[in-house]
Amino acid sequence: MTPEEIQNTIEQMLGVQRQIQESQIRNTDNIARLESQIQANAQYIQENAELIRNNREDISSLKEDISNLVVEVAKLTVDQREKFNQFYGYHLSADSQRLDIVERLIKVEQEVAQIKRQLGQSS
C-alpha cells in the first residue's frame, strides 16, 4: 500500500469512528430523554394509582351509605304501609259508624214523623 492509500484508509477509519461517536452521543441523549420520560410516566402512574385507591375507598364508602339508605327507605316504606293500612282501617270503621248514625237518624226521623202524626190525629 502506498502512503496515500494508507492515509485514505486512516481517514475513512477516522470518519467511521466519528460517525460511531456521533451515533453514540445521539443514543446517549435519546437514552437520557427516555429515562426522563420513563421517570415522569412512573410518577404519573404512581399518582394515578393513589387516586384510584382513594376513589375505591370513596366508592366503597358511598356503597355503604347507599346500602344504609336503602335499609332506611325500606323501613320507612314498611312504616308508611302500616300507617296507611291503619288509616284505611280507621276510614272503613268511620264509614261504618257513619252508616250506623245515618240509619239511626232515619229511624229517629221516622219516629218523630210518627209522633207528629199521632199528635196531629189526637188534636
Side-chain angles (χ1 to χ4, degrees):
M1 279 183 89
T2 64
E4 292 173 0
E5 291 174 342
I6 294 173
Q7 181 77 24
N8 283 338
T9 303
I10 291 174
E11 286 177 9
Q12 287 175 355
M13 288 174 30
L14 288 175
V16 169
Q17 185 179 6
R18 190 175 339 119
Q19 289 174 352
I20 291 172
Q21 286 175 341
E22 288 173 355
S23 175
Q24 286 176 337
I25 290 171
R26 282 192 305 273
N27 287 342
T28 302
D29 289 344
N30 288 338
I31 289 171
R33 276 195 300 275
L34 287 174
E35 286 175 345
S36 176
Q37 287 176 349
I38 289 170
Q39 206 170 27
N41 288 342
Q43 184 176 356
Y44 178 75
I45 289 169
Q46 199 171 23
E47 290 170 359
N48 282 336
E50 184 66 28
L51 287 173
I52 289 169
R53 277 191 292 278
N54 291 341
N55 286 341
R56 283 183 180 162
E57 291 171 6
D58 291 346
I59 289 170
S60 177
S61 176
L62 288 173
K63 282 182 180 179
E64 187 176 327
D65 290 347
I66 289 171
S67 293
N68 292 337
L69 287 173
V70 166
V71 168
E72 289 299 316
V73 167
K75 287 179 185 176
L76 288 173
T77 301
V78 168
D79 289 347
Q80 291 297 322
R81 187 176 298 132
E82 288 173 0
K83 286 181 182 177
F84 173 78
N85 289 337
Q86 187 179 19
F87 288 136
Y88 187 69
Y90 290 154
H91 174 73
L92 290 178
S93 66
D95 280 350
S96 66
Q97 287 175 355
R98 244 182 273 135
L99 287 175
D100 187 43
I101 291 171
V102 168
E103 288 173 359
R104 287 182 184 179
L105 182 62
I106 291 172
K107 284 182 184 177
V108 167
E109 287 175 346
Q110 289 172 348
E111 288 175 3
V112 167
Q114 186 179 359
I115 291 172
K116 283 182 181 179
R117 281 192 301 266
Q118 288 175 354
L119 288 176
Q121 291 176 357
S122 22
S123 313

